[in-house]
Amino acid sequence: MSMSAVAAVRHLIEQYRRFLRTSYRFLDDRLREQFEAHLAQADVVVRGPYVTLSRDYDRAETLQQLVDGGRAHPDLLKGHWPFADQALYRHQIEAFEAGRAGRSFVVTTGTGSGKTEAFLLPVLDGILRRKEQGTRGVQAVLLYPMNALANDQLERLRRLLRGTDLNLSYGLYTGDSDTASQNLREEPAETERLTRAAIRRDPPDILLTNYKQLEFLLVRSEDRVLFTNALRYLVLDELHSYRGALATEIACLIRRLKAHAGLAPGGLIAMGTSATVASGAGGAEALAEFATLLFGETVQPSDIIAERFAACPTEEPPWIPPPPDISEGDLLSFDASDEAAVLRLAERLTGRTARSRAPLADAITDLLSGNAVVAVLEDVFSVPASVADAAAALRSRLPGRAERTEGELRREVEAYLLVGSVGDDDHLPRLRPKLHTFFHGVYDVWLCLNPECRQLIPQGGAECPKCGSAARPAALCRTCGQDFVKVRFESEDGTATVGTGDFYSDERTGFLTPRIHELAGLAAESDQEDQDIGEPELRLGDHRRRA
């Protein structure tokens, strides 16, 4: 029997918390109780799961319609596009029109939304038009944060252009491109430059590289001749990966590239792809400002191109099912391959009997049609939200839920997500949930220096909030569990100290403790928990040496 998504997430969260309890196993009983109580709190080391429900992207026009209307170069129809003769997504059309108009833009849509085509269409269209006007040389640079992504894009171009007779050339230039381009699964297209020597000898229209290699290209005399005023397009994939000092480096690199190519402000059309923009923290305006600073080209908030969703299908008038009786066992034992059990659970959830039992996904869709609970879930999970958020929405919006406990409402939400997600490519599920869970470590834990208090301060702070005594960063020997505070001696006689959380230690670092604890008893208990987890070696870290 396969593990349900609910069971898998809960198992993962509990195993992570268990790992932390074992990795940071205090010998001091009071400290251990405080630490484990801290880990048990919600959102301390685990946030989520957050749920979103996938929806179909809104479609607009076909590529053929764009060509027929004189809005796209006819030769684009020769490419082996993954969308074939289907209508393009609306965000792809918006990106195409922005690029064709000479405006820089950023596409910020979800996984599987065709972001690659969103920038390839305007890039290839522009190259084809400019080549008819006599432009030669590298016209587009596709810049990636790592070679694996550049290699993946190379294979996409091979699939798109091979056997098409399209007048578009391209080449991969990375540290290992001469070997990598030969070892990929896709066969090269006819216009590919397969080696660095071939790229230098006959510069392609499109150059794929990474930012480190671009640094070298601009320095080496035999390579910097690739960049002339023919350059028109720059694409940065995974824009959200450029932060802090790296973003500053990339911004400088782009300006050097433009200066070497002799491009004036506005001479480069910059295109970026990014993870979905959050609704808060400035949203599109903040991303437009960041992209403008990064590219050195103006990106308007209106050219931060977000996903557009198709309208939900019209269903029968809403009806409210009675509150179901769902147990924890129903969720943990859920097996999508047991069609009879899945249908029984769907009938219990809705209080209705299925009119048909096959195909299963269609039967479930019929049961959920017009269901007011489904309508609430689709509204709440249109953006990332927790199961608790959905439970609260059910309580406030639907009659009969106000008296239900939070646990009962959460189980109802999870049961709908499990049942509604059953389906396949031929019979699509009614609901398509995506779960996101975020894990982080334990940082900035300080310890009160008062031996009578010994309060752990998880968020850090130089003063104990309980007794007012001084506090210092806590350190733990993860081999034996002995606790310390870590300090740096500011005077030669050791009377003046300051707390330090530095990872490295030197001759001025000290580890202080009011008491050395006995190891007997706890070691055997800890060893047993290690065996249960199955990864005891993960507990051995640098704390052992520093302590």
Side-chain angles (χ1 to χ4, degrees), residues 201-214:
R201 184 171 57 252
D202 187 9
D205 302 316
I206 303 170
L207 185 70
L208 295 84
T209 188
N210 59 64
Y211 61 84
K212 289 293 186 185
Q213 192 64 43
L214 183 56

Side-chain angles (χ1 to χ4, degrees), residues 38-98:
H38 175 64
L39 289 184
Q41 296 177 47
D43 294 343
V44 170
V45 293
V46 179
R47 291 185 180 270
Y50 298 98
V51 182
T52 54
L53 289 175
S54 296
R55 294 169 53 188
D56 292 328
Y57 294 108
D58 190 22
R59 291 188 181 272
E61 301 161 272
T62 64
L63 183 56
Q64 181 69 62
Q65 288 173 316
L66 292 177
V67 170
D68 291 344
R71 296 159 56 199
H73 196 286
D75 282 356
L76 289 178
L77 293 171
K78 297 179 181 179
H80 301 306
W81 298 101
F83 49 76
D85 57 354
Q86 288 185 305
L88 297 167
Y89 295 133
R90 188 164 300 280
H91 57 261
Q92 292 174 325
I93 295 287
E94 291 176 1
F96 178 77
E97 291 176 340

Side-chain angles (χ1 to χ4, degrees), residues 158-380:
R158 287 176 171 182
R159 288 193 295 270
L160 176 67
L161 300 176
R162 189 170 57 243
T164 62
D165 196 32
L166 262 170
N167 184 24
L168 292 165
S169 58
Y170 63 96
L172 174 73
Y173 198 139
T174 62
D176 58 0
S177 56
D178 281 7
T179 55
S181 63
Q182 308 291 333
N183 297 327
L184 299 177
R185 289 171 297 179
E186 291 289 337
E187 291 295 321
E190 295 78 4
T191 54
E192 180 176 341
R193 310 291 189 259
L194 291 173
T195 64
R196 291 190 287 269
I199 289 173
R200 293 171 183 143
R201 184 171 57 252
D202 187 9
D205 302 316
I206 303 170
L207 185 70
L208 295 84
T209 188
N210 59 64
Y211 61 84
K212 289 293 186 185
Q213 192 64 43
L214 183 56
E215 288 268 10
F216 296 135
L217 292 174
L218 290 173
V219 171
R220 292 192 292 253
S221 58
E222 67 268 31
D223 289 323
R224 59 174 177 252
V225 295
L226 293 171
F227 306 110
T228 67
N229 59 11
L231 182 64
R232 180 64 168 158
Y233 304 100
L234 174 69
V235 177
L236 258 67
D237 202 14
E238 305 289 334
L239 197 66
H240 51 274
S241 65
Y242 300 107
R243 302 178 182 177
L246 177 59
T248 303
E249 288 184 30
I250 300 302
C252 291
L253 178 63
I254 292 172
R255 285 156 177 78
R256 287 173 53 207
L257 173 66
K258 291 162 63 176
H260 186 81
L263 299 181
L268 186 71
I269 301 175
M271 308 175 184
T273 69
S274 175
T276 305
V277 173
S279 57
E285 290 76 13
L287 182 55
E289 182 179 0
F290 170 77
T292 297
L293 291 172
L294 185 69
F295 291 132
E297 299 289 347
T298 300
V299 179
Q300 299 291 344
S302 57
D303 287 321
I304 301 300
I305 299 169
E307 51 204 7
R308 307 282 191 270
F309 294 110
C312 294
T314 303
E315 295 185 332
E316 61 185 68
W319 54 278
I320 302 174
D325 183 18
I326 302 297
S327 70
E328 195 73 7
D330 292 327
L331 302 176
L332 298 180
S333 64
F334 182 85
D335 183 0
S337 64
D338 187 344
E339 296 192 1
V342 171
L343 192 59
R344 286 195 300 270
L345 181 57
E347 291 175 335
R348 285 170 52 200
L349 271 178
T350 59
R352 291 185 169 186
T353 302
R355 290 179 287 190
S356 170
R357 295 186 170 269
L360 178 61
D362 294 348
I364 292 173
T365 296
D366 183 57
L367 284 172
L368 299 185
S369 178
N371 189 312
V373 174
V374 173
V376 170
L377 298 185
E378 289 181 326
D379 179 48
V380 173

